[in-house]
Amino acid sequence: MRQERTVRRAGAGMAVLPLLAGALVLGTPLAHAADAGRHGIAGTKPAWATAKADRGAASRGSEVSLRVYLAGRDAAGLAAYAKAVSDPDSPAYGRYLTAAQAQARFGATRAQVAAVRAWLTSAGLEVTGVTRHYVSVKGDVAAAEQAFGTRLHDYAKDGRTYRAPAGTATVPAAVSGAVLAVTGLDDAPHRLDHDDQLPAPGPAFVNSGPFSSYYGSNIATTLPDAYGTKVPYAVKGYTGRQLRAAYGAGEHTGKGVRIAITDAYTSPTIAQDAATYAKRNGDAAWKRGQLTQVLPGEWTDTEECDASGWYGEQTLDVEAAHALAPDADITYVAASSCSTDAFYDSLGKVVDHHLADIVSNSWGDIEANQTPESAAAYDQVFQLGAVQGIGFYFSSGDYGDNELVTGTKQVNFPAESAWVTAVGGTSLAVGKGDTYQFETGWGTLRAGLSADGRSWSGFPGTFNGAAGGGTSTTVAEPDYQKDVVPAALATTNSATGNRVVPDVSAVADSNTGFLIGLTQTFPDGSVRYGESRIGGTSLAAPVIAAVQALAQEARGGKAIGFANPAIYAKYGTKVLHDVTDTPNGAELALARVDFANGVDAADGLVTSVRSLGKNTSLKAVKGYDDVTGVGTPANGYVESYRRH
């Protein structure tokens, strides 16, 4: 979620609370496995665990916590069935399984669980939990070394010391077919991030005026030209009415459809904020039981994850989804922390209990921080969701190709999974009468007003946020992309072709963003409700999830499931806006005025110009591109699902 400042952030039982408003992937046996009776786990040793960084053997008495993910009955069959039921051209399209049927057909057997438990306990590890997906254990380094047949060493990384395997981990041949992945052998942080500039009840952020009520309604006539013309002031923040019109909602409201939203922690004021926002901005009032929460038994890592910093993210997702699909039920599924394991548990709850058909996820991390074991475990959950008719929508990121913040061009995880819908971002112009005017790929440059007020300093300016996208280095090109994605993009990192992100897109630019309402702490110490404009692909993800809810309603409530094959089948048709960086044939910009202190005019105002369609090395061009994918929903998109 983006506003102006850039802050990059990276359960046990289940309680459902109604809110009243108003791996390491197991490979073939390796030649250097400990012995012929063990199978190696490819990629166990992380890339940063080099000989130069080696600081010697880890203390054998140090505590280790591990998860051993279970492969289930038929991994290949699961992937094949997930593909078949998601493909509109397949005879099996839409023949979904129930959660119980999916578990019975593809889940781990009792014998597999028993064998894994016996192996781990025989090595001296204590079982701390067993789920449908994994066995968790704890013990000391010596026991972990015994179980996985490799030494654990300490390694220097980013100025700190972390534990990691010194060689390839192995598992006994007797359990190799039951083990999908293992996490915890290295103890470097594996945290997922969101882009949140509006913590609550942390410091408040308030937008200054002047504003446009719709794109172009208020021209900055007293400010310098940009690209040879006067430019409009930024919108105050689009409402649900304007976004519904832009993306072709028609009369559909999402009735009978449930959307799940996953984030970390939970805002204590979400119910009252959502109710207040709906009342003030013309959205339908929340019905009793329409918003529910699924919470873990306890919260962990609250300081490390900046727990309150996630409140604004949850609020944005809930309010945006309700604004576009006002009759859809929404279930918020909270992760107990910002770790990859905690978010995996949230996704697992959605799948195991089929909490929704559509899942919005506004979080992730760079692909370089992804580990093979987490990728394998996550993909299994996505596939188990697909066979049940559950679709997952992930924001593509807010830093373009990521080179400016990481030094390397790369995409985000889990958006790069071939089993999710990656949602990119645009700058959106909605005109008078809620008419769609145009979109550019989201990528903004910022230049401030000169001291004499006659020009823009350093125009067009410096990077100010952009939709994530690009080509994966680890995920092969999926079939649904092969006839659409240009070969030049697919083969950027591999001659055989890799997954390209995103798939589809929606409004994300904070300068053309969405108005949200959130309880905040103001400088006078008061804690009260306030509204401001928000953006980021954290906005685009719930917008697309809500549009998909409208489409599911249009097809009589039948689940869309994993939507990528159906979305790519619409490529090049009139039901999608083909977004480019210069939709009107000329460069575009708008003006923005902000409070210097972020709250009021006491410390003065800051005036700037924002150039649109300026995304790092990524470009929004005619046809598929790595900023907006196949485009954005247009009139007819929602209704097009009736035919499938």
Side-chain angles (χ1 to χ4, degrees):
M1 181 173 71
R2 294 184 63 86
Q3 241 186 341
E4 179 61 22
R5 300 180 296 274
T6 298
V7 181
R8 186 175 177 87
R9 313 177 189 274
M14 182 174 69
V16 181
L17 306 179
L19 300 181
L20 307 184
L24 304 176
V25 184
L26 187 64
T28 56
L30 302 183
H32 56 278
D35 57 60
R38 299 182 69 90
H39 287 194
I41 306 177
T44 310
K45 186 177 180 180
W48 48 265
T50 64
K52 183 178 180 180
D54 196 337
R55 298 296 181 265
S59 172
R60 291 175 63 77
S62 297
E63 184 172 296
V64 176
S65 295
L66 306 171
R67 282 187 179 185
V68 177
Y69 288 90
L70 303 166
R73 289 171 171 80
D74 182 8
L78 171 61
Y81 196 74
K83 181 178 179 180
V85 297
S86 305
D87 182 357
D89 293 330
S90 167
Y93 181 57
R95 295 182 180 178
Y96 303 125
L97 306 178
T98 66
Q101 289 170 333
Q103 177 63 26
R105 185 165 172 175
F106 300 113
T109 66
R110 291 183 179 180
Q112 287 176 323
V113 174
V116 169
R117 290 186 61 147
W119 154 55
L120 294 170
T121 55
S122 69
L125 294 166
E126 176 188 350
V127 174
T128 57
V130 178
T131 74
R132 296 178 181 180
H133 304 285
Y134 59 81
V135 176
S136 58
V137 293
K138 68 178 182 179
D140 57 23
V141 165
E145 291 177 337
Q146 174 67 24
F148 291 95
T150 184
R151 294 295 185 186
L152 300 181
H153 281 205
D154 290 329
Y155 294 88
K157 180 180 185 293
D158 300 331
R160 300 186 65 179
T161 299
Y162 298 106
R163 183 191 68 240
T168 299
T170 63
V171 300
V175 298
S176 63
V179 176
L180 173 69
V182 58
T183 61
L185 289 175
D186 80 74
D187 64 351
H190 297 290
R191 304 194 185 283
L192 295 165
D193 304 337
H194 67 95
D195 301 304
D196 186 0
Q197 293 96 23
L198 196 59
F205 186 90
V206 179
N207 293 124
S208 170
F211 301 111
S212 290
S213 58
Y214 56 82
Y215 190 88
S217 68
N218 188 5
I219 304 299
T221 56
T222 63
L223 296 179
D225 289 3
Y227 301 111
T229 187
K230 297 297 182 184
V231 299
Y233 283 107
V235 295
K236 185 175 183 180
Y238 289 130
T239 64
R241 186 193 72 249
Q242 290 170 304
L243 294 186
R244 280 175 54 82
Y247 294 131
E251 299 301 316
H252 299 292
T253 62
K255 185 176 182 179
V257 182
R258 181 171 292 277
I259 300 170
I261 292 170
T262 66
D263 274 314
Y265 308 106
T266 186
S267 167
T269 60
I270 183 61
Q272 66 189 56
D273 288 344
T276 301
Y277 178 83
K279 184 176 182 179
R280 288 174 57 126
N281 291 282
D283 295 337
W286 288 85
K287 302 179 182 66
R288 181 180 292 270
Q290 189 179 2
L291 175 62
T292 59
Q293 292 197 72
V294 176
L295 307 179
E298 61 180 0
W299 307 115
T300 61
D301 302 324
T302 54
E303 292 187 7
E304 296 90 335
C305 295
D306 186 13
S308 66
W310 287 82
Y311 297 170
E313 184 66 66
Q314 177 196 1
T315 302
L316 164 63
D317 294 354
V318 168
E319 291 179 354
H322 180 69
L324 274 88
D327 284 330
D329 291 327
I330 295 177
T331 296
Y332 174 68
V333 187
S336 62
S337 77
C338 63
S339 72
T340 54
D341 283 349
F343 271 102
Y344 175 93
D345 288 343
S346 292
L347 297 172
K349 289 175 183 176
V350 174
V351 169
D352 291 346
H353 303 280
H354 202 135
L355 298 178
D357 292 332
I358 296 166
V359 190
S360 177
N361 311 273
S362 296
W363 46 268
D365 199 1
I366 57 173
E367 189 174 38
N369 289 342
Q370 169 201 350
T371 59
E373 66 268 27
S374 61
Y378 271 64
D379 276 355
Q380 184 189 59
V381 163
F382 298 146
Q383 291 167 8
L384 285 169
V387 301
Q388 297 178 47
I390 301 172
F392 298 87
Y393 300 81
F394 277 88
S395 55
S396 68
D398 288 2
Y399 297 91
D401 62 16
N402 280 313
E403 186 173 22
L404 287 174
V405 290
T406 70
T408 304
K409 294 177 183 178
Q410 57 186 307
V411 295
N412 279 20
F413 164 81
E416 39 76 271
S417 169
W419 295 100
V420 308
T421 299
V423 183
T426 69
S427 300
L428 171 66
V430 180
K432 186 176 182 179
D434 302 336
T435 56
Y436 176 91
Q437 292 188 344
F438 63 81
E439 285 172 280
T440 73
W442 173 38
T444 54
L445 298 178
R446 178 189 182 279
L449 187 64
S450 63
D452 62 10
R454 296 181 179 180
S455 64
W456 301 110
S457 298
F459 184 82
T462 57
F463 178 80
N464 192 245
T471 307
S472 170
T473 60
T474 63
V475 180
E477 183 178 23
D479 288 343
Y480 53 78
Q481 288 197 320
K482 289 182 178 178
D483 294 329
V484 174
V485 175
L489 290 177
T491 59
T492 297
N493 298 318
S494 169
T496 57
N498 281 11
R499 164 92 158 110
V500 183
V501 172
D503 300 305
V504 69
S505 56
V507 59
D509 185 356
S510 61
N511 302 293
T512 66
F514 178 69
L515 192 69
I516 74 162
L518 176 67
T519 297
Q520 308 165 74
T521 300
F522 287 80
D524 62 3
S526 63
V527 178
R528 64 183 188 272
Y529 176 90
E531 294 183 350
S532 61
R533 183 183 57 238
I534 292 295
T537 54
S538 293
L539 165 62
V543 167
I544 289 296
V547 171
Q548 294 298 99
L550 305 179
Q552 182 166 321
E553 178 198 4
R555 69 198 308 248
K558 183 171 177 57
I560 295 170
F562 173 49
N564 283 10
I567 289 174
Y568 279 81
K570 304 177 195 303
Y571 171 72
T573 70
K574 293 182 179 180
V575 304
L576 291 168
H577 299 295
D578 186 6
V579 180
T580 67
D581 284 332
T582 54
N584 300 326
E587 301 285 355
L588 293 164
L590 49 77
R592 175 166 166 168
V593 181
D594 291 289
F595 295 125
N597 61 15
V599 178
D600 56 38
D603 298 320
L605 302 174
V606 178
T607 302
S608 61
V609 65
R610 311 300 174 96
S611 294
L612 308 183
K614 304 291 184 182
N615 187 329
T616 58
S617 66
L618 311 178
K619 306 297 178 186
V621 298
K622 186 175 177 58
Y624 177 93
D625 60 68
D626 52 8
V627 180
T628 66
V630 298
T632 64
N635 286 331
Y637 177 87
V638 168
E639 289 292 335
S640 71
Y641 280 88
R642 286 184 184 274
R643 298 189 291 272
H644 294 301

